[in-house]
Amino acid sequence: MKIIYTSAETKAYPDIALYQKTEEVALWIIILAACAGILLLIILIIILWKCGFFKRKKPGYEPAPTHEKEYS
């Protein structure tokens, strides 16, 4: 039985990032994205609220009678 060994060589150039120019994101884009995210969250909460998602249902809960007809 013949055992074959292989090898691999990796070359790293850590200084290459020094030569690349990085672009900064404009402040107005960050502010606009944050406002759009908050607006989307508010719209989602309103839709869920209108659909009754946040109404709590207690098991075995019956509301108290409000009319005399319900007492007898």
Side-chain angles (χ1 to χ4, degrees):
M1 177 175 202
K2 188 176 182 182
I3 299 174
I4 300 174
Y5 292 101
T6 59
S7 65
E9 184 178 330
T10 303
K11 294 183 180 180
Y13 302 103
D15 294 337
I16 195 79
L18 297 175
Y19 301 113
Q20 293 178 346
K21 185 177 180 182
T22 57
E23 295 182 24
E24 294 183 13
V25 179
L27 182 63
W28 68 271
I29 293 177
I30 296 172
I31 294 172
L32 182 67
C35 290
I38 292 171
L39 181 65
L40 184 64
L41 182 63
I42 290 171
I43 291 171
L44 181 66
I45 289 172
I46 289 172
I47 290 172
L48 289 173
W49 177 55
K50 291 291 183 179
C51 292
F53 182 78
F54 298 109
K55 289 185 181 178
R56 183 174 178 188
K57 296 179 182 176
K58 297 179 183 178
Y61 173 75
E62 293 182 17
T66 55
H67 301 288
E68 287 188 26
K69 295 177 184 176
E70 295 178 8
Y71 287 117
S72 54

Coordinates of all heavy atoms in Angstrom, one line a residue:
M1 N 0.8 -1.2 0.0 CA 0.0 0.0 0.0 C 0.9 1.2 0.0 O 1.8 1.4 0.9 CB -0.9 0.0 1.2 CG -1.8 1.1 1.4 SD -2.8 0.9 2.8 CE -4.1 2.0 2.4
K2 N 0.7 2.1 -0.9 CA 1.5 3.3 -1.1 C 0.7 4.5 -0.5 O -0.4 4.8 -0.8 CB 1.8 3.5 -2.5 CG 2.8 4.6 -2.8 CD 3.1 4.7 -4.3 CE 4.2 5.7 -4.5 NZ 4.5 5.9 -5.9
I3 N 1.4 5.3 0.4 CA 0.8 6.5 1.0 C 1.3 7.7 0.2 O 2.5 7.9 0.0 CB 1.2 6.6 2.4 CG1 0.7 5.4 3.2 CG2 0.6 7.9 3.0 CD1 1.1 5.4 4.7
I4 N 0.3 8.5 -0.2 CA 0.6 9.7 -1.0 C 0.3 10.9 -0.2 O -0.8 11.0 0.4 CB -0.2 9.7 -2.3 CG1 0.1 8.5 -3.2 CG2 0.1 11.0 -3.1 CD1 -0.8 8.4 -4.4
Y5 N 1.3 11.8 0.0 CA 1.1 13.0 0.8 C 1.0 14.1 -0.2 O 1.7 14.2 -1.2 CB 2.4 13.2 1.7 CG 2.5 12.2 2.8 CD1 3.4 11.1 2.7 CD2 1.7 12.3 3.9 CE1 3.5 10.2 3.7 CE2 1.8 11.4 4.9 CZ 2.7 10.3 4.8 OH 2.8 9.4 5.8
T6 N 0.1 15.0 0.1 CA -0.1 16.2 -0.7 C 0.1 17.4 0.2 O 0.0 17.4 1.4 CB -1.5 16.3 -1.3 OG1 -2.4 16.3 -0.3 CG2 -1.7 15.2 -2.2
S7 N 0.5 18.5 -0.4 CA 0.6 19.8 0.3 C 0.0 20.9 -0.4 O -0.2 20.9 -1.6 CB 2.1 20.0 0.5 OG 2.8 20.3 -0.7
A8 N -0.3 21.9 0.4 CA -0.9 23.2 -0.2 C -0.2 24.4 0.3 O 0.2 24.3 1.5 CB -2.4 23.2 0.1
E9 N -0.1 25.4 -0.5 CA 0.6 26.6 0.0 C -0.3 27.7 -0.1 O -1.0 27.9 -1.1 CB 1.8 26.8 -0.9 CG 2.7 28.0 -0.5 CD 3.9 28.2 -1.4 OE1 4.4 27.2 -1.9 OE2 4.3 29.3 -1.5
T10 N -0.4 28.5 0.9 CA -1.2 29.7 1.0 C -0.4 30.9 1.1 O 0.5 31.0 2.0 CB -2.2 29.6 2.2 OG1 -3.0 28.4 2.1 CG2 -3.2 30.8 2.2
K11 N -0.6 31.9 0.3 CA 0.1 33.2 0.4 C -0.9 34.3 0.9 O -1.9 34.4 0.3 CB 0.7 33.6 -1.0 CG 1.7 32.6 -1.4 CD 2.3 33.1 -2.7 CE 3.4 32.1 -3.2 NZ 4.0 32.5 -4.5
A12 N -0.5 35.0 1.9 CA -1.3 36.1 2.5 C -0.6 37.4 2.3 O 0.7 37.5 2.5 CB -1.6 35.8 3.9
Y13 N -1.3 38.4 1.9 CA -0.8 39.7 1.7 C -1.5 40.6 2.6 O -2.5 41.3 2.2 CB -0.9 40.1 0.2 CG -0.2 39.2 -0.7 CD1 -0.9 38.3 -1.5 CD2 1.2 39.2 -0.9 CE1 -0.3 37.4 -2.4 CE2 1.8 38.3 -1.7 CZ 1.1 37.5 -2.5 OH 1.7 36.6 -3.3
P14 N -1.1 40.8 3.9 CA -1.9 41.6 4.8 C -1.9 43.1 4.5 O -2.7 43.8 5.0 CB -1.3 41.3 6.2 CG 0.1 40.8 5.8 CD 0.0 40.1 4.5
D15 N -0.9 43.6 3.8 CA -0.8 45.0 3.5 C -1.7 45.4 2.3 O -1.7 46.6 2.1 CB 0.6 45.4 3.2 CG 1.5 45.2 4.4 OD1 1.0 45.2 5.5 OD2 2.8 45.0 4.2
I16 N -2.4 44.5 1.7 CA -3.2 44.9 0.6 C -4.4 45.8 1.0 O -4.8 46.7 0.2 CB -3.7 43.7 -0.2 CG1 -4.3 44.0 -1.6 CG2 -4.9 43.0 0.6 CD1 -3.2 44.2 -2.6
A17 N -4.9 45.7 2.2 CA -5.9 46.6 2.7 C -5.5 48.0 2.8 O -6.3 48.9 2.7 CB -6.5 46.1 4.0
L18 N -4.2 48.2 3.0 CA -3.7 49.6 3.1 C -3.8 50.4 1.8 O -3.9 51.6 1.8 CB -2.3 49.6 3.6 CG -2.0 49.0 5.0 CD1 -0.5 48.9 5.3 CD2 -2.7 49.8 6.0
Y19 N -3.8 49.6 0.7 CA -3.8 50.3 -0.6 C -5.2 50.4 -1.2 O -5.4 51.2 -2.1 CB -3.0 49.4 -1.6 CG -1.6 49.3 -1.2 CD1 -1.1 48.0 -0.8 CD2 -0.7 50.4 -1.1 CE1 0.2 47.9 -0.4 CE2 0.6 50.2 -0.6 CZ 1.1 49.0 -0.3 OH 2.4 48.8 0.1
Q20 N -6.2 49.8 -0.6 CA -7.6 49.9 -1.0 C -8.2 51.1 -0.3 O -8.1 51.2 0.9 CB -8.4 48.6 -0.8 CG -7.9 47.5 -1.6 CD -8.7 46.2 -1.3 OE1 -9.4 46.1 -0.3 NE2 -8.5 45.2 -2.1
K21 N -9.0 51.9 -1.0 CA -9.7 53.0 -0.4 C -11.0 52.6 0.0 O -11.8 52.0 -0.7 CB -9.8 54.1 -1.5 CG -10.4 55.4 -0.9 CD -10.5 56.5 -1.9 CE -11.1 57.7 -1.3 NZ -11.2 58.8 -2.3
T22 N -11.3 52.8 1.3 CA -12.7 52.5 1.8 C -13.6 53.7 1.7 O -13.2 54.8 1.9 CB -12.6 52.0 3.3 OG1 -12.0 53.1 4.0 CG2 -11.7 50.8 3.5
E23 N -14.8 53.4 1.4 CA -15.8 54.4 1.2 C -16.7 54.5 2.5 O -17.1 53.5 3.0 CB -16.7 54.2 0.0 CG -15.9 54.2 -1.3 CD -16.9 54.0 -2.5 OE1 -18.1 54.3 -2.3 OE2 -16.4 53.6 -3.5
E24 N -16.9 55.7 3.0 CA -17.7 55.8 4.2 C -19.2 56.0 3.7 O -19.4 56.6 2.7 CB -17.3 57.1 5.0 CG -15.9 56.9 5.6 CD -15.5 58.1 6.4 OE1 -16.3 58.9 6.7 OE2 -14.3 58.2 6.7
V25 N -20.1 55.6 4.6 CA -21.5 55.8 4.3 C -21.9 57.1 4.8 O -21.6 57.5 5.9 CB -22.3 54.7 5.0 CG1 -23.8 54.8 4.8 CG2 -21.9 53.3 4.6
A26 N -22.7 57.8 4.0 CA -23.1 59.2 4.4 C -24.0 59.1 5.6 O -24.8 58.2 5.8 CB -23.8 59.9 3.2
L27 N -24.0 60.1 6.4 CA -24.8 60.2 7.7 C -26.3 60.2 7.4 O -27.1 59.6 8.0 CB -24.4 61.4 8.5 CG -25.1 61.5 9.8 CD1 -24.8 60.4 10.7 CD2 -24.7 62.8 10.5
W28 N -26.7 60.9 6.3 CA -28.1 61.0 6.0 C -28.7 59.6 5.6 O -29.8 59.4 5.8 CB -28.3 62.0 4.9 CG -27.8 61.7 3.5 CD1 -26.6 61.9 3.0 CD2 -28.5 61.0 2.5 NE1 -26.5 61.4 1.8 CE2 -27.7 60.8 1.4 CE3 -29.8 60.4 2.4 CZ2 -28.0 60.2 0.2 CZ3 -30.2 59.8 1.2 CH2 -29.3 59.7 0.2
I29 N -27.8 58.8 5.0 CA -28.3 57.4 4.7 C -28.6 56.6 5.9 O -29.6 55.9 6.0 CB -27.3 56.7 3.7 CG1 -27.2 57.4 2.4 CG2 -27.7 55.3 3.6 CD1 -26.2 56.9 1.5
I30 N -27.7 56.7 6.9 CA -27.9 56.0 8.2 C -29.2 56.5 8.9 O -30.0 55.7 9.4 CB -26.7 56.2 9.1 CG1 -25.4 55.5 8.4 CG2 -26.9 55.6 10.4 CD1 -24.1 55.8 9.1
I31 N -29.3 57.8 8.9 CA -30.5 58.4 9.6 C -31.8 58.0 8.9 O -32.8 57.6 9.5 CB -30.4 59.9 9.7 CG1 -29.2 60.3 10.6 CG2 -31.7 60.6 10.2 CD1 -28.9 61.8 10.7
L32 N -31.8 58.1 7.5 CA -32.9 57.7 6.8 C -33.3 56.2 7.0 O -34.5 55.8 7.1 CB -32.7 58.0 5.3 CG -33.8 57.7 4.3 CD1 -35.0 58.6 4.6 CD2 -33.4 57.8 2.9
A33 N -32.3 55.3 7.0 CA -32.5 53.9 7.2 C -33.1 53.6 8.6 O -34.0 52.8 8.8 CB -31.2 53.1 7.0
A34 N -32.6 54.3 9.6 CA -33.1 54.2 11.0 C -34.5 54.6 11.1 O -35.4 54.0 11.7 CB -32.2 54.9 11.9
C35 N -34.9 55.8 10.5 CA -36.2 56.3 10.5 C -37.2 55.3 9.7 O -38.3 55.1 10.1 CB -36.3 57.7 9.9 SG -35.5 58.9 10.9
A36 N -36.7 54.8 8.6 CA -37.6 53.9 7.8 C -37.8 52.6 8.6 O -38.9 52.0 8.6 CB -36.9 53.6 6.5
G37 N -36.8 52.1 9.3 CA -37.0 50.9 10.2 C -38.0 51.2 11.3 O -38.8 50.3 11.6
I38 N -37.9 52.3 11.9 CA -38.8 52.6 13.0 C -40.2 52.8 12.5 O -41.2 52.3 13.1 CB -38.4 53.9 13.8 CG1 -37.1 53.6 14.5 CG2 -39.4 54.4 14.7 CD1 -36.4 54.8 15.1
L39 N -40.4 53.4 11.3 CA -41.7 53.6 10.7 C -42.3 52.2 10.3 O -43.5 52.0 10.5 CB -41.6 54.5 9.5 CG -42.9 54.8 8.7 CD1 -43.8 55.6 9.6 CD2 -42.6 55.5 7.4
L40 N -41.5 51.3 9.8 CA -41.9 50.0 9.4 C -42.4 49.2 10.7 O -43.4 48.5 10.7 CB -40.8 49.3 8.7 CG -41.2 47.9 8.2 CD1 -42.2 48.0 7.1 CD2 -39.9 47.2 7.6
L41 N -41.6 49.4 11.8 CA -42.0 48.7 13.0 C -43.3 49.2 13.5 O -44.2 48.5 14.0 CB -40.9 48.9 14.0 CG -41.1 48.2 15.4 CD1 -41.1 46.7 15.2 CD2 -40.0 48.7 16.3
I42 N -43.5 50.5 13.5 CA -44.8 51.1 14.0 C -45.9 50.7 13.1 O -47.0 50.3 13.6 CB -44.7 52.7 13.9 CG1 -43.7 53.1 15.0 CG2 -46.0 53.3 14.1 CD1 -43.4 54.6 15.0
I43 N -45.8 50.6 11.8 CA -46.8 50.1 10.9 C -47.2 48.7 11.2 O -48.3 48.3 11.3 CB -46.4 50.3 9.4 CG1 -46.4 51.8 9.1 CG2 -47.4 49.6 8.5 CD1 -45.8 52.1 7.7
L44 N -46.2 47.8 11.4 CA -46.4 46.4 11.8 C -47.1 46.3 13.1 O -48.1 45.5 13.2 CB -45.1 45.7 11.8 CG -45.1 44.2 12.1 CD1 -45.8 43.5 11.0 CD2 -43.7 43.7 12.3
I45 N -46.8 47.1 14.1 CA -47.5 47.0 15.4 C -48.9 47.5 15.2 O -49.8 46.8 15.8 CB -46.7 47.9 16.4 CG1 -45.4 47.2 16.8 CG2 -47.5 48.1 17.7 CD1 -44.5 48.1 17.6
I46 N -49.2 48.5 14.5 CA -50.6 48.9 14.3 C -51.4 47.9 13.6 O -52.5 47.6 13.9 CB -50.6 50.3 13.5 CG1 -50.0 51.4 14.4 CG2 -52.0 50.6 13.0 CD1 -49.8 52.7 13.7
I47 N -50.8 47.2 12.6 CA -51.5 46.2 11.8 C -51.8 45.0 12.8 O -53.0 44.5 12.8 CB -50.7 45.7 10.6 CG1 -50.7 46.8 9.5 CG2 -51.3 44.4 10.1 CD1 -49.8 46.5 8.4
L48 N -50.9 44.6 13.6 CA -51.1 43.5 14.5 C -52.1 43.9 15.6 O -52.9 43.1 16.0 CB -49.8 43.1 15.2 CG -48.8 42.3 14.3 CD1 -47.5 42.1 15.0 CD2 -49.4 41.0 13.8
W49 N -52.1 45.1 16.0 CA -53.0 45.6 17.0 C -54.5 45.6 16.5 O -55.4 45.2 17.1 CB -52.6 47.0 17.5 CG -53.6 47.7 18.5 CD1 -54.0 47.2 19.7 CD2 -54.2 48.9 18.3 NE1 -54.8 48.0 20.3 CE2 -55.0 49.2 19.5 CE3 -54.1 49.9 17.4 CZ2 -55.7 50.3 19.7 CZ3 -54.9 51.1 17.5 CH2 -55.6 51.3 18.7
K50 N -54.6 46.1 15.2 CA -55.9 46.1 14.6 C -56.5 44.7 14.4 O -57.7 44.5 14.4 CB -55.9 46.9 13.3 CG -55.7 48.3 13.4 CD -56.9 49.0 14.0 CE -56.7 50.5 14.1 NZ -57.8 51.2 14.6
C51 N -55.6 43.7 14.2 CA -56.0 42.4 14.0 C -56.3 41.7 15.3 O -56.8 40.5 15.3 CB -55.0 41.6 13.2 SG -54.8 42.1 11.5
G52 N -56.1 42.3 16.4 CA -56.3 41.7 17.7 C -55.2 40.8 18.2 O -55.5 40.0 19.1
F53 N -54.1 41.0 17.8 CA -53.0 40.1 18.2 C -52.6 40.3 19.6 O -52.2 39.3 20.3 CB -51.7 40.4 17.3 CG -50.6 39.5 17.6 CD1 -50.5 38.2 17.1 CD2 -49.5 40.0 18.3 CE1 -49.5 37.4 17.4 CE2 -48.4 39.2 18.6 CZ -48.4 37.8 18.1
F54 N -52.7 41.5 20.1 CA -52.3 41.8 21.5 C -53.4 41.6 22.6 O -53.1 41.9 23.7 CB -51.7 43.2 21.6 CG -50.5 43.4 20.7 CD1 -50.6 44.2 19.5 CD2 -49.3 42.8 21.0 CE1 -49.5 44.3 18.7 CE2 -48.2 42.9 20.2 CZ -48.3 43.7 19.1
K55 N -54.6 41.2 22.2 CA -55.6 40.9 23.1 C -55.3 39.7 23.9 O -55.1 38.6 23.3 CB -57.0 40.8 22.4 CG -57.5 42.2 21.9 CD -58.8 42.0 21.3 CE -59.3 43.4 20.8 NZ -60.6 43.3 20.2
R56 N -55.4 39.7 25.2 CA -55.1 38.6 26.0 C -56.4 37.8 26.3 O -57.4 38.4 26.7 CB -54.4 39.0 27.3 CG -54.0 37.9 28.2 CD -53.3 38.4 29.4 NE -53.0 37.2 30.2 CZ -52.4 37.3 31.4 NH1 -52.2 38.5 31.9 NH2 -52.2 36.3 32.1
K57 N -56.3 36.5 26.1 CA -57.4 35.6 26.4 C -57.1 34.8 27.6 O -56.2 34.0 27.6 CB -57.7 34.7 25.2 CG -58.2 35.5 24.0 CD -58.4 34.6 22.8 CE -58.8 35.4 21.6 NZ -59.0 34.5 20.4
K58 N -57.8 35.0 28.7 CA -57.6 34.3 29.9 C -58.5 33.1 29.9 O -59.7 33.1 29.6 CB -57.9 35.2 31.1 CG -57.1 36.4 31.3 CD -57.5 37.2 32.5 CE -56.6 38.4 32.6 NZ -57.0 39.3 33.7
P59 N -57.9 31.9 30.2 CA -58.8 30.7 30.2 C -59.7 30.7 31.4 O -59.4 31.1 32.5 CB -57.8 29.6 30.4 CG -56.5 30.2 30.9 CD -56.6 31.6 30.5
G60 N -61.0 30.4 31.2 CA -62.0 30.3 32.2 C -62.5 31.6 32.7 O -63.2 31.7 33.7
Y61 N -62.2 32.7 32.0 CA -62.7 34.0 32.4 C -64.0 34.3 31.7 O -64.2 34.2 30.6 CB -61.6 35.1 31.9 CG -62.1 36.5 32.1 CD1 -62.1 37.0 33.4 CD2 -62.5 37.3 31.1 CE1 -62.5 38.3 33.6 CE2 -62.9 38.6 31.2 CZ -62.9 39.1 32.5 OH -63.3 40.4 32.7
E62 N -64.9 34.7 32.6 CA -66.3 35.2 32.1 C -66.5 36.5 32.7 O -66.3 36.8 33.9 CB -67.3 34.2 32.6 CG -67.2 32.8 32.0 CD -68.4 31.9 32.5 OE1 -69.4 32.4 33.0 OE2 -68.2 30.7 32.3
P63 N -66.9 37.5 31.9 CA -67.1 38.8 32.4 C -68.3 38.9 33.3 O -69.2 38.1 33.3 CB -67.4 39.6 31.1 CG -67.7 38.7 30.1 CD -67.1 37.4 30.4
A64 N -68.2 39.8 34.3 CA -69.3 39.9 35.3 C -70.6 40.4 34.6 O -70.5 41.2 33.6 CB -68.9 40.9 36.3
P65 N -71.7 39.9 35.1 CA -73.0 40.3 34.5 C -73.2 41.8 34.7 O -72.9 42.3 35.8 CB -74.0 39.5 35.1 CG -73.4 39.0 36.4 CD -71.9 39.0 36.1
T66 N -73.8 42.5 33.7 CA -74.0 43.9 33.9 C -75.5 44.3 33.9 O -75.8 45.4 34.3 CB -73.4 44.7 32.7 OG1 -74.0 44.1 31.5 CG2 -71.9 44.5 32.7
H67 N -76.4 43.4 33.6 CA -77.8 43.6 33.6 C -78.5 42.7 34.6 O -78.0 41.6 35.0 CB -78.5 43.4 32.3 CG -77.8 44.3 31.2 ND1 -78.1 45.6 31.1 CD2 -77.0 44.0 30.2 CE1 -77.4 46.1 30.1 NE2 -76.7 45.2 29.5
E68 N -79.7 43.1 35.1 CA -80.4 42.3 36.1 C -81.0 41.1 35.5 O -81.2 40.0 36.2 CB -81.6 43.1 36.7 CG -81.1 44.2 37.6 CD -82.3 44.9 38.4 OE1 -83.3 44.2 38.5 OE2 -82.2 46.0 38.7
K69 N -81.2 41.0 34.2 CA -81.7 39.8 33.5 C -80.6 38.7 33.6 O -81.0 37.5 33.7 CB -81.9 40.1 32.0 CG -83.0 41.1 31.8 CD -83.1 41.4 30.3 CE -84.2 42.4 30.0 NZ -84.3 42.8 28.6
E70 N -79.4 39.0 33.7 CA -78.4 38.0 33.8 C -78.2 37.4 35.2 O -77.7 36.4 35.4 CB -77.0 38.6 33.3 CG -77.0 39.0 31.8 CD -75.7 39.6 31.4 OE1 -74.8 39.5 32.2 OE2 -75.7 40.1 30.3
Y71 N -78.8 38.1 36.2 CA -78.7 37.6 37.6 C -79.7 36.5 37.8 O -79.4 35.6 38.6 CB -79.0 38.8 38.6 CG -77.9 39.8 38.7 CD1 -78.1 41.1 38.4 CD2 -76.6 39.4 39.2 CE1 -77.0 42.0 38.5 CE2 -75.6 40.3 39.3 CZ -75.8 41.6 38.9 OH -74.8 42.5 39.1
S72 N -80.8 36.5 37.2 CA -81.8 35.4 37.5 C -81.7 34.3 36.5 O -81.1 34.2 35.6 CB -83.2 36.1 37.5 OG -83.4 36.7 36.3

